[in-house]
Amino acid sequence: MAFDYQLRETTSSSSKIPEVDFSHCSEMAPYLDEPQAMYVGAPGKHGYLRLGFEIDPRGKCILRDLDRRAPLIVQQALYFDKEMPEMPCVYILSSGGPNVEGDRYQQDIYLKKDAFAFVTTGAATKLAEMTHNYSGLIQNITLDEGSYLEFMPEPVYPCKHTRFISDTTIKVHPTATLFYSEIFMGGRKYYGEGELFEYDILSVCSHAERPDGTPLFREKFIIDPKMQNPRQLGIMGDYDVFANVIVLTPKEDADKIYEATEPFIDRENKLACGITHLPNDSGLLFKVLGMEPGPVKKVVRDFLDKVRRTVKSRPLPEEFPWR
């Protein structure tokens, strides 16, 4: 029996795009001036993306729902993971180059019951130098019963005088698993004489709750190099790259992953990682410090391999050599 499932896709510019506004956040108060070029949220500066995954009758997971607004682009789901060939792999692309002042983005990702997916970006995200306003990102991630999502974008590069804020809301069923990672560079390390920690502000918030609204955790960090030097001990110290990984999964799986993960400080290769439990038996928080994005990404992928083996009993395939 053949099945014919077409992607529900909406790209009409007439559909209302959710508002992305961070003016209520006190840390952004100095950066509310309207850009002198294109205004905040102008066409091409207000990107929106909705990805919906579900299982079809063959047991294959498909990208069933797609809504996109420039400059955010998703073309189609690929199936290149040889260890999980039934899993859709999606690349989020941008037609607008780097994030610039006045840009607003929203990404909504939801997985229906027992669905599974891998989502990443096609390249690193560059945050351009800014003189007015800021760039903002809202993300809403919803995981239904038994679903599984690996969300692992490429690193973020803040340039000199970058202003960036993000807020990620996660709704996760007690039986679902989310692997969510972010990698932040200190800046353009090899640009001229270097631009490490010369951005104006990075504000990053992630919070999660159950489908009934029961709160699980909230983490927010604000990096303002002018107020507090990131090179201090206990912040970044001598390291240039920071990875923040959130794993939301049932307690029995979280305990297995925790026991299989050994924190370390490798002084020779200048790498370090640590792990802790999140509140309310919701999962784990894993952090990595390093000097270059490649080694940090490898530590994050090795950790993802532990998560996948525990939850899905499948290994992670080798990374593509060009990634």
Side-chain angles (χ1 to χ4, degrees):
M1 180 178 179
F3 299 96
D4 183 15
Y5 290 93
Q6 295 189 1
L7 182 69
R8 287 195 298 261
E9 181 174 354
T10 304
T11 56
S12 172
S13 59
S14 62
S15 300
K16 181 175 176 57
I17 304 175
E19 183 179 2
V20 179
D21 181 25
F22 290 96
S23 59
H24 61 283
C25 297
S26 59
E27 68 270 25
M28 306 311 293
Y31 310 113
L32 300 181
D33 292 343
E34 190 77 17
Q36 293 183 345
M38 295 179 70
Y39 60 87
V40 172
K45 291 176 65 63
H46 192 169
Y48 177 68
L49 182 64
R50 185 178 71 243
L51 304 175
F53 299 90
E54 66 180 51
I55 299 293
D56 72 5
R58 299 166 294 183
K60 180 180 180 180
C61 188
I62 59 173
L63 175 59
R64 187 68 175 91
D65 187 17
L66 170 61
D67 189 356
R68 59 187 181 181
R69 303 290 194 284
L72 294 179
I73 301 172
V74 164
Q75 294 175 319
Q76 65 178 5
L78 306 174
Y79 293 85
F80 55 71
D81 191 319
K82 63 181 181 180
E83 303 297 343
M84 291 186 67
E86 70 279 19
M87 182 171 73
C89 303
V90 172
Y91 285 90
I92 299 174
L93 309 174
S94 175
S95 63
N99 292 24
V100 300
E101 55 193 29
D103 278 1
R104 302 292 188 267
Y105 299 96
Q106 178 165 332
Q107 298 177 165
D108 296 340
I109 303 173
Y110 69 90
L111 277 70
K112 292 189 175 181
K113 181 180 177 182
D114 296 328
F116 44 87
F118 171 77
V119 179
T120 185
T121 54
T125 298
K126 180 181 176 183
L127 307 175
E129 185 171 347
M130 303 175 187
T131 57
H132 295 77
N133 211 260
Y134 60 91
S135 175
L137 168 67
I138 285 179
Q139 297 183 119
N140 297 297
I141 301 174
T142 304
L143 277 71
D144 286 349
E145 180 181 355
S147 58
Y148 174 85
L149 174 63
E150 298 173 355
F151 186 84
M152 190 179 175
E154 291 294 299
V156 174
Y157 284 79
C159 296
K160 186 176 182 180
H161 296 308
T162 284
R163 301 91 175 258
F164 177 73
I165 184 170
S166 70
D167 184 90
T168 300
T169 301
I170 303 165
K171 291 187 178 182
V172 57
H173 191 276
T175 62
T177 295
L178 168 66
F179 181 96
Y180 176 86
S181 73
E182 300 170 304
I183 300 177
F184 295 95
M185 308 297 296
R188 294 185 293 181
K189 186 173 181 177
Y190 299 107
Y191 178 78
E193 297 181 359
E195 275 187 2
L196 289 174
F197 304 109
E198 294 186 15
Y199 50 82
D200 287 340
I201 192 167
L202 291 183
S203 176
V204 180
C205 182
S206 302
H207 44 103
E209 60 185 37
R210 294 301 184 201
D212 63 2
T214 302
L216 296 176
F217 80 92
R218 183 176 188 270
E219 181 193 42
K220 182 171 184 176
F221 54 87
I222 300 173
I223 307 174
D224 186 338
K226 296 188 298 297
M227 290 188 65
Q228 190 171 29
N229 187 355
R231 289 300 191 190
Q232 293 183 31
L233 185 66
I235 306 179
M236 289 297 293
D238 294 330
Y239 295 101
D240 296 337
V241 185
F242 167 60
N244 195 52
V245 182
I246 296 168
V247 177
L248 302 180
T249 194
K251 184 179 185 305
E252 55 271 23
D253 288 335
D255 290 342
K256 293 177 184 177
I257 298 166
Y258 183 87
E259 292 299 324
T261 304
E262 187 70 28
F264 67 82
I265 298 178
D266 184 343
R267 300 190 186 281
E268 180 179 354
N269 295 305
K270 300 204 75 172
L271 273 171
C273 75
I275 187 171
T276 188
H277 288 281
L278 287 169
N280 302 304
D281 292 328
S282 57
L284 303 167
L285 187 63
F286 181 72
K287 297 181 183 288
V288 186
L289 294 173
M291 299 302 294
E292 303 292 342
V296 171
K297 285 173 57 179
K298 184 179 186 310
V299 175
V300 173
R301 280 183 56 83
D302 289 346
F303 183 59
L304 173 55
D305 182 69
K306 294 183 177 70
V307 173
R308 187 191 282 196
R309 288 176 185 270
T310 301
V311 177
K312 287 295 187 181
S313 301
R314 308 273 194 96
L316 196 68
E318 292 185 7
E319 178 66 293
F320 293 122
W322 58 86
R323 295 284 286 176

